[in-house]
Amino acid sequence: MRALCHDLIQPLTAIRLLADGHLCTGEERLAAIRHEVSWLTELVGSVLGDGHADEQEQLELTEVTQYALSCCGPFLTSNVTLDTCGPVPVQATRVALVRALMCLLDNAARAAGPRGKVAVTIRRRGSSAVLAIADDGPGLGRIAPQHSIGLVTVGGVLQQCGGRLRLENGPRGGAVATVELPLVEQVERP
C-alpha cells in the first residue's frame, strides 16, 4: 500500500500543476489531465483488479518507455532524449514496469535539474533487453533522497520479471540506472 501511495503522488501533483494552467493552455492542458487520470485509473485498477493485473504479458520496451515518459510530463523539466534500436520485446506486468520506469525517470530528472540532460537508451545485448537512464546531475549519493520506497519497488518489479537494476556513477559524472530484462523471442504470425 505504501508503494502505491508513493506512486500516486506524481500523477496527482501533475494534475494539480496542469490545473493551474501555467504549463500549457486549452485543449493541451485538458488532454494532459485526461492522460494523467487514465494512468491513475490504470494504476489503482491494477491493485483493486480481478487478478489479471499481476499477469505478465509480452510488451515492447520502447512503447512502455514512451508511455512512462508521457506520464512524467510536467515533472520532466530536463532535456530528455530517447534512443532505441527498434523493437525490443520483453515479458513483464505492464503497470508494474511503467511504475518502475517512471520512478527511475523521476529520479534522473530530479538529479539533472531543469537545465540538465537525461538520456534514455534501449538496446539488445545478447539475450537481454538493456534500458539505461543516464543523467548529468551530481552523481549517486549527492542529492537528498525523497523516499526509499521507489527503488525498492523498482528492484522488486524487475526481479519478478527475471531482470535486475544496476545503479552507478556515470563515466563523465551524473548517474546511470541500467535495467536488464530477458528478451522474448517474437513469434512470427502469418
Side-chain angles (χ1 to χ4, degrees):
M1 189 56 118
R2 284 189 54 161
L4 175 64
C5 290
H6 171 269
D7 292 347
L8 291 173
I9 292 169
Q10 188 173 18
L12 289 171
T13 303
I15 291 168
R16 188 180 71 231
L17 288 171
L18 290 163
D20 287 342
H22 301 297
L23 299 175
C24 51
T25 59
E27 282 301 314
E28 289 177 330
R29 182 173 43 167
L30 290 175
I33 290 171
R34 284 187 199 105
H35 182 69
E36 294 295 334
V37 169
S38 176
W39 168 241
L40 273 171
T41 303
E42 193 174 355
L43 183 59
V44 172
S46 73
V47 175
L48 300 176
D50 59 6
H52 295 296
D54 290 337
E55 292 179 11
Q56 292 190 5
E57 59 184 298
Q58 184 171 319
L59 303 169
E60 205 290 297
L61 188 55
T62 300
E63 290 174 6
V64 174
T65 303
Q66 289 170 329
Y67 184 77
L69 282 164
S70 73
C71 291
C72 292
F75 295 101
L76 294 181
T77 56
S78 307
N79 177 21
V80 180
T81 60
L82 174 61
D83 180 24
T84 186
C85 64
V88 182
V90 296
Q91 189 85 13
T93 305
R94 184 182 176 283
V95 171
L97 186 56
V98 171
R99 288 172 70 184
L101 296 178
M102 286 178 65
C103 178
L104 295 174
L105 290 164
D106 179 58
N107 287 351
R110 249 183 345 102
R115 293 189 181 108
K117 295 177 183 165
V118 175
V120 181
T121 58
I122 301 172
R123 297 285 184 263
R124 293 169 175 248
R125 185 182 309 143
S127 61
S128 295
V130 180
L131 180 144
I133 300 173
D135 66 65
D136 65 355
L140 293 176
R142 295 197 175 98
I143 62 170
Q146 286 186 328
H147 309 283
S148 59
I149 298 169
L151 291 176
V152 171
T153 301
V154 170
V157 165
L158 296 176
Q159 188 175 27
Q160 289 173 356
C161 302
R164 68 185 185 119
L165 172 66
R166 188 174 67 247
L167 299 172
E168 57 195 349
N169 282 311
R172 291 182 215 103
V176 180
T178 304
V179 171
E180 291 185 31
L181 293 165
L183 275 171
V184 174
E185 292 300 319
Q186 289 186 304
V187 177
E188 292 293 324
R189 294 195 175 122

